Amino acid sequence: MKRPKYSIIKKTSIGRNSRVYDQVNLYGCKIGRNTKIDSYVYIEEGVTIGDNCKIRPFVFIPTGVVIEDNVFIAPNVTFTNDKQPRAQGGWTLLNTRVKRNASIGAGSTIVPGVEIGENALIGAGSVVTKNIPDNAIAVGIPARVVGTRPGAGELEVRTSSRARNSR
């Protein structure tokens, strides 16, 4: 990996064939293989990001977050890790997990202590305040399940109305 010129990368493990672009701050985290970290991403200590992930620009991932393999995180997604943040004094770390094959839409906020299920889809601009089940489609503020999507191993067959009508 070619080291970006204007990034800070300290005590971080970066897997083979991963790409880290410029203006990225990585502190004490672990990045899996074949993962892409775009510009203007900030990842704190103890975060684990799996293999084959794509983290788009302007994403913030604090301590306490685990992102499993094959996850897509769109631009401007913010994760949080404390429900009662303050500038001084103690705080309570709440862990968050994003399971395999999940996708999180642009501008979403993920509050601490939730789990986003395997192959789940979070719509753009959503605020995730509770656990999202596997294969769920969740949207809104707060995010609510509005549908399901095929499992990661299932083939999704789409046909146009013209093709259906010609049968």
Side-chain angles (χ1 to χ4, degrees):
M1 180 188 90
K2 182 180 172 189
R3 188 170 179 89
K5 185 175 181 182
Y6 297 105
S7 292
I8 298 172
I9 300 173
K10 292 185 176 182
K11 299 179 183 174
T12 295
S13 167
I14 300 173
R16 187 171 188 218
N17 295 323
S18 286
R19 295 169 288 167
V20 176
Y21 289 87
D22 224 340
Q23 304 293 337
V24 170
N25 293 311
L26 306 175
Y27 298 98
C29 56
K30 181 180 178 189
I31 311 297
R33 297 179 316 247
N34 303 309
T35 289
K36 179 182 177 189
I37 309 290
D38 277 333
S39 297
Y40 308 106
V41 171
Y42 191 105
I43 303 174
E44 290 185 338
E45 303 87 8
V47 170
T48 299
I49 297 177
D51 297 337
N52 307 306
C53 293
K54 187 181 284 188
I55 313 296
R56 302 300 298 174
F58 302 103
V59 170
F60 175 69
I61 306 173
T63 299
V65 175
V66 172
I67 296 170
E68 295 183 359
D69 297 340
N70 305 306
V71 169
F72 174 81
I73 300 177
N76 297 300
V77 170
T78 300
F79 289 83
T80 60
N81 63 1
D82 183 7
K83 286 190 177 180
Q84 299 176 1
R86 56 184 69 86
Q88 301 290 323
W91 63 290
T92 302
L93 173 67
L94 295 172
N95 295 313
T96 299
R97 179 175 293 272
V98 180
K99 296 179 99 179
R100 297 180 317 136
N101 302 308
S103 296
I104 302 174
S108 294
T109 300
I110 314 302
V111 302
V114 300
E115 181 175 278
I116 296 175
E118 186 172 327
N119 196 47
L121 173 64
I122 307 301
S126 296
V127 177
V128 178
T129 61
K130 61 183 179 179
N131 292 345
I132 304 297
D134 293 350
N135 303 309
I137 299 170
V139 300
I141 302 172
R144 65 191 187 295
V145 175
V146 296
T148 59
R149 62 195 285 203
E154 297 175 30
L155 177 63
E156 183 174 5
V157 178
R158 293 183 183 199
T159 59
S160 69
S161 60
R162 184 176 295 158
R164 284 191 301 269
N165 293 333
S166 66
R167 290 184 190 171

